[in-house]
């Protein structure tokens, strides 16, 4: 079982590292700065806005945020964030 877990972890890390690079370009980040809602699928953002029409000052935890686009967008929309990442048996916690 441990061997299978190691294969899965290694595969995830390899895939994650190669996928992440394409979403970290200056163009993508500039677009998020200009239009934070672009970090979300339109349906997802619509649901968020329906539940919370004014995001300013709200507090949110974003677990395993991947490319961090949601974290950046939420921050730009005025939310107070706690971001938690699980990778390589380590936890990283960032509070904005």
């Amino acid at each position: 079982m441990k061997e299978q877990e190691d294969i899965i972890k290694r595969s995830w890390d390899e895939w994650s590292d190669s996928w992440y690079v394409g979403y970290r370009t200056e163009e993508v980040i500039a677009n998020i700065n200009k239009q934070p809602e672009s970090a979300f699928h339109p349906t997802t953002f619509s649901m968020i806005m329906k539940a919370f029409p004014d995001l300013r000052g709200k507090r949110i935890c974003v677990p395993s945020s991947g490319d961090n686009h949601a974290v950046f967008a939420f921050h730009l929309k005025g939310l107070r964030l706690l971001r938690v990442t699980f990778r390589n048996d380590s936890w990283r916690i960032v509070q904005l």
Side-chain angles (χ1 to χ4, degrees):
M1 185 68 160
K2 176 77 169 120
E3 184 178 324
Q4 290 173 326
E5 289 177 15
D6 289 343
I7 290 170
I8 292 168
K9 286 179 184 178
R10 193 170 42 255
S11 295
W12 171 259
D13 288 344
E14 289 170 7
W15 177 84
S16 176
D17 289 343
S18 64
W19 173 83
Y20 181 76
V21 173
Y23 290 91
R24 193 69 177 153
T25 66
E26 292 294 323
E27 182 180 350
V28 170
I29 300 303
N31 191 46
I32 292 171
N33 279 323
K34 189 171 26 174
Q35 290 185 300
E37 58 276 5
S38 70
F40 304 93
H41 185 280
T43 302
T44 303
F45 191 72
S46 173
M47 292 171 69
I48 292 168
M49 294 311 296
K50 184 176 180 180
F52 303 101
D54 184 5
L55 298 174
R56 289 172 293 168
K58 301 284 189 291
R59 299 174 77 166
I60 188 170
C61 177
V62 181
S64 197
S65 59
D67 58 28
N68 288 313
H69 292 181
V71 171
F72 299 145
F74 279 143
H75 179 68
L76 291 169
K77 287 289 192 180
L79 274 86
R80 295 179 56 203
L81 295 152
L82 178 65
R83 176 188 160 263
V84 181
T85 298
F86 312 95
R87 186 163 185 220
N88 295 331
D89 296 328
S90 66
W91 288 35
R92 283 181 246 143
I93 299 175
V94 177
Q95 190 166 359
L96 300 174

